[in-house]
Amino acid sequence: MVQTVLKRARDAMSKFVVNNVAGESGRKLPQYIAGLAASGGALAAGTFLGWTAPTDKPLTVEGEYGFPVSDEQFSWVGSISNLGAALMCFPIGYMMKLIGRKWSMLAMVLPLVLGWLLIIFAENVAMLMVGRFFLGVGGGAFCVAAPTYTAEIAQPSIRGTLGTFFQLMVTVGILFVYAVGAGVDVQVLSIICGVIPLVFGAIFFFMPESPYYFVEKGRYSEAASSLKWLRGAQYDENAEIEDLKQADEKVKAEAIPMLVAFRQKATVRALAISLGLMFFQQLSGINAVIFYNSAIFASANGGKEMSSASIIVGGIQVVATLLASVVVDKVGRRILLLVSDLMMAVSTILLAVYFQLKQDDPAKVDDLSWLAVLAVCLFIAMFSIGYGPVPWLMVGELFANNVKAFASPVAGVFNWLLAFLVTKVFTNLKDAMGEAGVFWLFSGISLLGTVFVFLVVPETKGKSLNNIQRLLAGEKLNADEPAGLPEPRDERDERPAQVA
């Protein structure tokens, strides 16, 4: 009897060690806590992204700050943060290599707080613009650093869920600003927003550094402590540390210049996929739909302005993004992108028809306002469940370790520059093509995006970061490593492509 019990204990221990190598033993809760804490930076980013909606009329029409702000000036106030974000995408990659992921994100508290202080005490439009630029610097850095950090600390089975935390917290930040902004003036709203980065810094200070960063620096005992924090005190980290050592040695041995890296098939495909996803994300019409949601809701309300319109839209974003975080590791990335883009195309087609009928004869749409409202809600929900969070998640998964520092920021710069461009030229497009024409254009782009995902984007659900690189390079997985299923990573040299 005793021998049987001992045999079962040894078998159980053997399974535990194998699972260790596979990276799937240990506790998941600490990883969720660290992922949520890192995404606090996304909450701060969400507040500055949503800030323009409740402050437009108080600043441009009511003159709440005591100095005039024209519509053209306010458009720059709203869009210049995108330039600040684009500017920071490359430096943050090198900061993460130099001082670590954790301290790079903590350093971004400074530009965020400085930006809010400039806005809170603004005496002219220039101070508003400079403040918004600094907010973009901090927010843009988080768009690179937070997904990288969560991808590195997470085990494959929950990497997708943790990856969606970033977009989820952005939408929570936007909803928070919409709700608070409906009841307070601009200065009080800005003060409240300025406190959020400080709270993030106070919480994230107690989170662990990425174990991958410690291994890169040869600080193996600290890497072990980090893994113990993330996986639990009972976790046997030795196998994973050894795995990461060999991965780091291989990456350093294969270190290549940037120009050479961009000649590699896997890197070229990863970059093409990332830039494509960012292109279709920004040109899906998300900014136009958000811009028009108040007018559409007012139309459905008999022409009366609905103060709750933006709050409704923000709530839909949060719920849909939360749903995405639950299902992304179950149904996969591709299916979410396909459904998301196709339904966004349907939504913008409905809006194009609505505006076309309204342009021809406003009386025709008197009984169709509900359809326009439904289209807006459907669009926001579908964007938030797929094309909102998944592109950022996949950027954290697609690039190999030896090219991550300079390849991933390219996608971030591209995204923010597109956001700036769309924000600035949308009014010109509307004047040239009309409302209906703009939404027809967006629906066509979304249909092209659906085809792009179907033909080009691979499924990364449940795959190790190394196997993703093998797929991008055109290799065939073994029979026991089918696409879309987590493969057993029980070979010590199986992870040379961990995210940097």
Side-chain angles (χ1 to χ4, degrees):
M1 181 67 179
V2 175
Q3 290 179 337
T4 302
V5 172
L6 290 174
K7 183 178 185 300
R8 288 179 179 176
R10 284 194 300 269
D11 290 342
M13 183 59 70
S14 176
K15 291 178 182 179
F16 176 77
V17 174
V18 171
N19 284 337
N20 248 2
V21 178
E24 291 302 322
S25 66
R27 299 178 62 199
K28 302 295 191 296
L29 180 60
Q31 299 170 59
Y32 282 108
I33 293 173
L36 278 172
S39 297
L43 177 67
T47 58
F48 90 77
L49 289 173
W51 180 86
T52 53
T55 60
D56 187 352
K57 286 187 177 180
L59 291 178
T60 60
V61 178
E62 301 168 11
E64 194 173 285
Y65 262 32
F67 54 84
V69 182
S70 68
D71 290 337
E72 176 64 20
Q73 289 173 326
F74 191 79
S75 71
W76 277 102
V77 170
S79 61
I80 198 170
S81 57
N82 296 318
L83 292 181
L87 179 68
M88 195 60 193
C89 285
F90 277 104
I92 191 64
Y94 291 101
M95 283 181 65
M96 288 191 295
K97 282 282 189 181
L98 184 64
I99 64 175
R101 288 61 158 155
K102 174 181 175 178
W103 287 104
S104 294
M105 284 192 281
L106 287 174
M108 290 305 104
V109 172
L110 180 60
L112 288 172
V113 171
L114 178 59
W116 286 119
L117 286 174
L118 286 168
I119 291 172
I120 291 167
F121 298 106
E123 297 180 353
N124 49 57
V125 175
M127 289 183 69
L128 289 176
M129 291 179 63
V130 175
R132 291 282 298 173
F133 182 84
F134 276 114
L135 293 179
V137 167
F142 276 114
C143 286
V144 176
T148 299
Y149 178 83
T150 54
E152 290 181 348
I153 66 170
Q155 294 170 303
S157 63
I158 61 171
R159 193 175 65 229
T161 300
L162 263 64
T164 59
F165 282 178
F166 177 83
Q167 183 68 20
L168 174 63
M169 296 303 285
V170 168
T171 60
V172 170
I174 292 173
L175 175 59
F176 175 81
V177 170
Y178 287 169
V180 175
V184 301
D185 61 34
V186 175
Q187 190 171 52
V188 172
L189 174 64
S190 302
I191 292 172
I192 294 172
C193 291
V195 173
I196 293 177
L198 296 174
V199 174
F200 157 77
I203 295 174
F204 193 63
F205 178 82
F206 296 99
M207 297 299 111
E209 176 60 87
S210 163
Y212 302 154
Y213 169 75
F214 284 135
V215 169
E216 287 174 350
K217 297 298 183 180
R219 296 155 63 178
Y220 303 125
S221 62
E222 291 170 281
S225 298
S226 177
L227 285 172
K228 286 284 191 183
W229 196 104
L230 292 164
R231 312 286 194 258
Q234 302 303 315
Y235 180 71
D236 182 1
E237 79 284 359
N238 292 321
E240 190 167 353
I241 291 291
E242 189 62 29
D243 197 19
L244 292 176
K245 284 183 183 180
Q246 294 188 18
D248 182 57
E249 290 171 1
K250 186 171 184 179
V251 166
K252 289 177 179 177
E254 296 177 353
I256 52 177
M258 181 169 61
L259 294 179
V260 176
F262 283 115
R263 297 191 190 119
Q264 293 180 335
K265 183 177 180 179
T267 303
V268 171
R269 282 197 63 192
L271 187 63
I273 293 167
S274 299
L275 295 185
L277 290 175
M278 295 305 179
F279 176 85
F280 290 112
Q281 181 197 67
Q282 287 299 323
L283 273 73
S284 66
I286 181 63
N287 291 308
V289 172
I290 290 177
F291 180 84
Y292 268 102
N293 77 77
S294 295
I296 294 172
F297 275 78
S299 176
N301 197 36
K304 297 179 181 179
E305 194 74 24
M306 290 179 64
S307 60
S308 60
S310 58
I311 299 176
I312 293 172
V313 170
I316 293 172
Q317 283 183 297
V318 171
V319 173
T321 307
L322 181 61
L323 177 62
S325 69
V326 174
V327 303
V328 69
D329 276 321
K330 295 180 174 64
V331 303
R333 284 66 155 152
R334 288 184 82 246
I335 189 65
L336 285 180
L337 289 171
L338 288 169
V339 172
S340 172
D341 220 10
L342 182 60
M343 295 309 297
M344 284 193 296
V346 172
S347 302
T348 47
I349 287 173
L350 292 175
L351 288 171
V353 171
Y354 172 83
F355 280 112
Q356 188 67 59
L357 291 173
K358 187 175 183 179
Q359 177 181 318
D360 296 341
D361 183 4
K364 291 181 180 179
V365 298
D366 286 345
D367 298 327
L368 290 177
S369 296
W370 63 270
L371 183 62
V373 172
L374 176 63
V376 170
C377 294
L378 179 63
F379 183 94
I380 294 296
M382 291 298 100
F383 177 86
S384 300
I385 202 172
Y387 253 95
V390 174
W392 292 110
L393 165 63
M394 294 196 71
V395 166
E397 295 179 326
L398 290 173
F399 291 109
N401 194 33
N402 59 350
V403 300
K404 178 77 174 181
F406 43 79
S408 180
V410 171
V413 170
F414 187 66
N415 183 281
W416 287 108
L417 290 179
L418 281 176
F420 172 78
L421 180 65
V422 171
T423 303
K424 288 303 299 176
V425 306
F426 173 70
T427 302
N428 305 101
L429 282 176
K430 184 189 67 173
D431 293 339
M433 304 174 63
E435 291 93 336
V438 172
F439 284 108
W440 281 120
L441 174 63
F442 288 144
S443 63
I445 291 174
S446 291
L447 289 174
L448 285 176
T450 306
V451 175
F452 172 80
V453 173
F454 183 79
L455 296 178
V456 178
V457 178
E459 180 57 74
T460 59
K461 182 192 75 170
K463 292 182 176 66
S464 71
L465 300 177
N466 178 65
N467 272 13
I468 293 172
Q469 292 303 303
R470 291 168 58 191
L471 283 176
L472 291 174
E475 293 183 31
K476 299 287 186 181
L477 294 181
N478 296 333
D480 60 342
E481 298 173 344
L485 295 176
E487 74 287 351
R489 292 184 298 160
D490 55 356
E491 298 179 20
R492 294 294 178 88
D493 59 350
E494 176 98 345
R495 288 166 60 181
Q498 296 293 343
V499 178

